[in-house]
Amino acid sequence: MSETSPKLRAELEGIPTYKPGKPAAAGGPVAYKLSSNENPYPPLPGVMETVTAAACNFNRYPDMACTGLMNELSERFGVPLSHLATGTGSVGVAQQLVQATSGPGDEVIYAWRSFEAYPIITQISGATSVQVPLTPGDVHDLDAMAEAITDRTRLIFVCTPNNPTGTVVKRAELERFLDRVPGDVLVVLDEAYREFIRDPEVPDGVELYRERPNVCVLRTFSKAYGLAGLRVGFAIAHEPVAAALRKTAVPFGVSQLAQEAAIASLRAEDELLGRVGSLVCERARVVEALRAQGWTVPETQANFVWLRLGERTVDFAAACEQAGVVIRPFPGEGVRVTIGETEGNDIFLKAAEAFRKDV
Ligand SMILES: *Cc1c(COP(=O)(O)O)cnc(C)c1O
């Protein structure tokens, strides 16, 4: 056997691994998984039926062009088909966007802390991450991000609401920022939690993209629509960008099950958005209870809350797990807690209260 191993690209060294939210261990004390921003509701019966029927044909490849879903999205958002691209979750689409724009020597700007996939996909492309710290209030510092642009900048992610802080970027500041970004730099508005926003000052990325050829909007079926396990998301962008996404897509990446489920979900939107409304009410209840306990909670417009715990982060996560809920710690920084079932949220609130009294 040879002593050498295959040569791998040097860029892959030191890539942080994506940490999935811990599962709620079967038989263990943990009963509720509040660690991955998933939708706690089970699939709608109608969507389930559609998926079950589609499963009868999984010996066949899916429709590579996602024709049915593309048509549905085109109508739903009032955008031409040539401005749409689907992918294996919006993370898959985000990776394609970096691949299509950025290579060695190029820079990708994003806020930090933000979505943990950004540094990974940037490094895989061989590009350089430029991380711009959030403000002390855990909000995007768009002025600093604009100032970080150089002639090597190819792509800027703006995650709103931001994962993991839940904070948003408002219309006036985003427009001012977009006015400052050169037209040859792609701005990706990652709106994975768009449906959970209730603040009227938060712009709809789909409205902003229309007048701005360098803006791309990312949306997903994983959160509000409850299809996280089926892997389907999409981008809305002007023609050259959307075409580049179609070029960089893994052939047949979006399964037929996912395509059919997404179509069925768009058709059941009223019911699904009703569930989102209930989660938004739960969010208000959880935030209010935490503040009453004395916690500082940034204003969240997503399906999760952020507690900046610093050095106490890991202990807090352990205390929650002991109590029966698994949450997402970012050691040394804070915890992100998904809004889940009422009972799970109650257990979390109790654990948070007990922890505060202990310190
Ligand atoms: C969950 C999430 C996504 C979407 O992930 P999928 O790949 O569509 O499941 C994208 N961006 C952010 C910021 C997220 O939190």
Side-chain angles (χ1 to χ4, degrees), residues 18 36-37 87-94 114-118 159-164 190-193 218-223 227-229 231-234 303-304 336:
Y18 189 101
S36 293
N37 296 345
T88 55
S90 55
V91 173
V93 186
S114 186
F115 189 32
E116 66 176 318
Y118 301 153
C159 188
T160 175
N162 186 46
N163 179 358
D190 187 342
E191 297 188 329
Y193 303 95
L218 284 185
R219 298 278 181 96
T220 180
F221 284 95
S222 295
K223 311 285 163 50
L227 302 183
R231 314 306 304 128
V232 52
F234 60 98
N303 66 340
F304 52 85
R336 187 194 69 198

Side-chain angles (χ1 to χ4, degrees), residues 5-317:
S5 58
K7 281 197 177 125
L8 302 174
R9 288 168 53 227
E11 287 94 343
L12 299 188
E13 271 167 42
I15 287 188
T17 42
Y18 189 101
K19 288 196 193 66
K22 263 174 94 163
V30 167
Y32 294 94
K33 183 180 179 216
L34 306 180
S35 55
S36 293
N37 296 345
E38 292 152 332
N39 194 314
Y41 290 95
L44 282 180
V47 175
M48 195 66 169
E49 261 166 47
T50 306
V51 171
T52 313
C56 296
N57 297 312
F58 66 47
N59 54 313
R60 305 290 177 192
Y61 284 109
D63 170 4
M64 190 162 116
C66 295
T67 316
L69 177 55
M70 293 279 278
N71 285 330
E72 201 82 21
L73 289 170
S74 166
E75 201 157 297
R76 164 75 176 71
F77 290 99
V79 300
L81 283 170
S82 60
H83 286 200
L84 281 165
T86 53
T88 55
S90 55
V91 173
V93 186
Q95 178 155 17
Q96 290 170 249
L97 286 167
V98 175
Q99 223 174 15
T101 55
S102 312
D106 296 331
E107 293 171 355
V108 175
I109 299 177
Y110 49 88
W112 201 250
R113 177 165 286 275
S114 186
F115 189 32
E116 66 176 318
Y118 301 153
I120 299 171
I121 60 185
T122 301
Q123 201 173 332
I124 290 173
S125 266
T128 302
S129 277
V130 177
Q131 302 184 334
V132 178
L134 296 169
T135 67
D138 286 318
V139 178
H140 273 61
D141 188 343
L142 289 180
D143 285 334
M145 288 174 74
E147 277 145 33
I149 297 171
T150 71
D151 54 10
R152 320 216 76 164
T153 307
R154 293 290 172 272
L155 185 151
I156 305 173
F157 283 111
V158 177
C159 188
T160 175
N162 186 46
N163 179 358
T165 59
T167 51
V168 287
V169 168
K170 312 249 168 133
R171 183 175 290 107
E173 48 171 344
L174 184 54
E175 285 183 350
R176 187 155 36 95
F177 171 75
L178 292 173
D179 289 341
R180 288 180 70 180
V181 178
D184 61 357
V185 172
L186 181 66
V187 179
V188 179
L189 303 177
D190 187 342
E191 297 188 329
Y193 303 95
R194 168 73 215 167
E195 298 81 2
F196 296 91
I197 294 174
R198 291 296 178 269
D199 181 342
E201 281 182 56
V202 180
D204 181 338
V206 179
E207 295 314 317
L208 290 174
Y209 114 95
R210 292 186 198 277
E211 302 298 318
R212 298 177 187 266
N214 67 330
V215 169
C216 171
V217 181
L218 284 185
R219 298 278 181 96
T220 180
F221 284 95
S222 295
K223 311 285 163 50
Y225 295 87
L227 302 183
L230 285 175
R231 314 306 304 128
V232 52
F234 60 98
I236 298 177
H238 288 261
E239 207 153 336
V241 175
L245 284 172
R246 289 191 291 270
K247 279 184 201 164
T248 52
V250 171
F252 307 111
V254 182
S255 74
Q256 198 65 33
L257 271 64
Q259 294 182 33
E260 309 265 343
I263 294 169
S265 299
L266 285 171
R267 292 183 183 163
E269 207 166 34
D270 288 350
E271 202 170 349
L272 289 167
L273 294 183
R275 290 172 159 192
V276 168
S278 305
L279 290 168
V280 166
C281 291
E282 264 304 276
R283 173 177 79 197
R285 182 179 78 87
V286 168
V287 168
E288 197 179 327
L290 287 169
R291 288 186 180 149
Q293 291 173 14
W295 295 95
T296 301
V297 189
E299 187 64 39
T300 174
Q301 291 288 311
N303 66 340
F304 52 85
V305 294
W306 172 249
L307 297 179
R308 193 166 272 292
L309 280 142
E311 295 312 313
R312 296 175 299 153
T313 296
V314 172
D315 289 346
F316 183 84

